[in-house]
Amino acid sequence: MVNKKIEKLLANVQKPGRYVGGELNCVRKHADEVDVRFAFCFPDIYEVGMSHLGLKILYSQLNTVPYVWCERVFAPWVDMEEEMRKNGLPLYALESGDSIRDFDIIGFTLQYELSYTNILNMLDLAGIPLKAEDRHSLSQLVVAGGPCACNPEPLADFFDLFFIGEGEEVDLEVVALYREYKKQDRSKEEFLKAASQIQGVYVPSLYHISYHEDHTVKAIVPKEGAPLPVKKRIMMDVDKSYFPDKFVVPYIEIVHDRTVAEVLRGCIRGCRFCQAGFLYRPFREKSVDVIDRQCHDLCDSTGYDEISLSSLSTSDHSRLNELIDRLHTWTEKENTGISLPSLRVDNFSPELMSKIKSVRRSGLTFAPEAGTQRLRDVINKNVTEEELMKTVNTAFKGGWTTIKLYFMIGLPTETLDDVAGIAELGQKVVDAFYANPDKPKGKGVKVTVSASSFVPKPFTPFQWEPQDTMETLRKKQRHLVASVKTRKVEPNWHEADTSFLEAVFARGDRRLCGVLLEAHRSGCKMDGWQNFFSFPKWMEIFERCGIDPAFYANRRRSFDEVLPWDHIDYGIKKSFLIDECKKAYANVTTPNCREQCSSCGASCFKGGICYEKRQGLV
């Protein structure tokens, strides 16, 4: 709860509700009654962070431990930061209003690369030394997890340790170890050496990185008994994995203002561009009973009237129809809507449509990802144009008139014909609407084709690929617009410059730590917000640091190059990723995990779909 000093600032800022805490279901404890204070920091504003499911899970789970008090911390918007700096108010946690400088562990979640400068800005606002080597005591331990931790090297100088993989178990183990070492008054170095032995913990200071003269990585050598590789942690039985029965309910509207239920982890598909699809393997489903109970508990404790069934591909749940039927037994009576945020083109059935339609209707979104069949085969999307047409006709027959289609521009082997194919596919969807005798009467159709710029990511078959230059991406964007022939198709796209910076840090190494530090000193922050992102400023920073960003974004790597993340093990064999890359260039697809095991390596975890009986699966 905020103190009077904070209250005085709120009259001068937009949306004071971001900064006051005290929401329904937030957890308050007494600081003098706990052994470990954990600041869970989301490096973006409140509305974005409060929509994040991982924060909800780990915040609640850490607070189930009597000796831990976990509090939430978000990046203040620029108006609030200005007031805080002007009045000497350090960054504080929402539950207590205490400065996070007084906390034992400061944990960040790494969701996207453009938030990296916000991390440094938040530490600076808290008065915490930015570099790990300048923090000498065991307190103010700065840690991080999340998907971007798969390549932690551009942040290696700033963090004491990273969590690799899923956090439910390893977070608690590290906190328990911290408590033990704190009570024994042990040093930070002793703690980090011990923590490095926990599976799923990476301590960057315990690894020496050397480079060739051409700046590629020469070797990654562990020190003082640190493991090589560092293996990820994973929750094999997702039914037994911790999930909260209540969420903090914000006072103000947030990005995803609804109940979120996780229905599965991993993905069976193997799209070659998709980092999450490989990081979270193997595919694991929650049971219908567990999902139903968790949804009901959350709706009861929060008052929300909408449930989002969240996952990488919810319609791949083998018992989705049964799940929705079960949910309908109480959601219809309670006027609670169900939304499916991630639908596949190839499994949107009339039966599924009728179940969604019976509760609440919104626009439908599908992701063909590429405009031509050739390119869809390259990326292993395993979706055909016929399947898309069948799906949209099903949707039109069911009354939908708004379709959003997601694509990427800049995919490996892409030509201008592939780009034009995006507009042509949008046109075919429009034509399908008007040719459908069962379409809604008296209504028009709207088709949005959204094209983001492809960013090659670690642990994917395209991790060796160059990103298109910004000039090429912009040429392709112009070609997309020129290829649209009707106002019924609305093209949109993301700016190429932010995708370029994302590509730099996604596959960067430790030499980028100096760039981030210089960017912070130059005032870079909120880079994910277009109004604050300054590409010219970033280019000046790279030049001052003697770093060529194109080395990271636009360079093709050879298969035998040592990659900056080669010491991290997510269970996917590098040889499998190489084979998948070669198959992409041959336009050869790989069956999904239900159809055939592709021997990716994820069976090493001895669970999930890799060990399920195939009989009875859809």
Side-chain angles (χ1 to χ4, degrees), residues 310-352:
S310 177
S311 74
L312 293 176
S313 183
T314 297
S315 54
D316 278 330
H317 194 288
S318 61
R319 297 167 64 191
L320 181 61
N321 288 328
E322 180 187 345
L323 169 62
I324 295 178
D325 285 342
R326 178 76 68 83
L327 293 172
H328 277 178
T329 61
W330 56 273
T331 55
E332 289 182 323
K333 286 184 290 188
E334 298 179 13
N335 198 29
T336 298
I338 302 171
S339 62
L340 305 179
S342 52
L343 292 171
R344 288 275 304 183
V345 166
D346 53 348
N347 56 14
F348 182 73
S349 64
E351 185 182 7
L352 178 59

Side-chain angles (χ1 to χ4, degrees), residues 38-43 73 105-109 141-145 159 163:
F38 193 111
F40 195 117
C41 302
F42 195 95
V73 185
I105 302 176
I106 297 109
F108 285 89
T109 180
L141 190 78
V142 180
V143 305
F159 284 89
F163 297 112

